Amino acid sequence: QVQLVESGGGLVQAGGSLRLSCAASGSISSISTMGWYRQAPGKQRELVATITKGGTTNYADSMEGRFTISRDNAKNTVYLQMSGLKPEDTAVYYCNSRIRVYSGSYDYNVYWGQGTQVTVSS
């Protein structure tokens, strides 16, 4: 079994910062891409940022320059440093990871965390 556990969400004023963390645990062989997505009320889930095992990053246009994704491969953990937060960044933030597990054979599966609420007040 594999679990992704997020932490670091909360309430912050506009212009403030938060750092989200997501730790993967369980029967993990290796992890390729890790990322963050978010879903605001009444909207579809959208990409925030992704990072490969080698450290190549990709950001949604509206987040680039304000958000920074990073990872610690030794800890199977991905981070999202958010700065210059705006009320429109209010959403549930989900961690996503493509993880290689063994269940008779080695396969990559996509896993999601339970989500962490980020609320930005104006």
Side-chain angles (χ1 to χ4, degrees), residues 6-110:
E6 298 124 332
S7 60
L11 173 64
V12 64
Q13 288 189 332
S17 300
L18 279 176
R19 188 192 193 212
L20 306 182
S21 300
C22 172
S25 63
S27 302
I28 296 170
S29 174
S30 65
I31 303 177
S32 60
T33 302
M34 304 183 83
W36 291 95
Y37 291 72
R38 71 184 187 184
Q39 188 167 18
K43 295 188 176 181
Q44 289 189 332
R45 192 171 297 188
E46 64 175 349
L47 170 72
V48 175
T50 61
I51 184 168
T52 67
K53 187 174 185 177
T56 300
T57 58
N58 177 57
Y59 294 91
D61 289 344
S62 61
M63 288 72 152
E64 192 155 18
R66 298 190 299 123
F67 293 4
T68 302
I69 190 170
S70 61
R71 64 189 281 176
D72 184 332
N73 291 330
K75 296 181 179 180
N76 290 337
T77 299
V78 62
Y79 305 96
L80 185 68
Q81 178 67 48
M82 304 184 291
S83 304
L85 284 162
K86 307 174 182 179
E88 51 264 42
D89 293 318
T90 295
V92 177
Y93 285 70
Y94 296 91
C95 172
N96 169 285
S97 292
R98 188 167 179 264
I99 299 174
R100 189 170 183 247
V101 299
Y102 182 79
S103 57
S105 62
Y106 284 102
D107 294 297
Y108 276 99
N109 297 319
V110 175

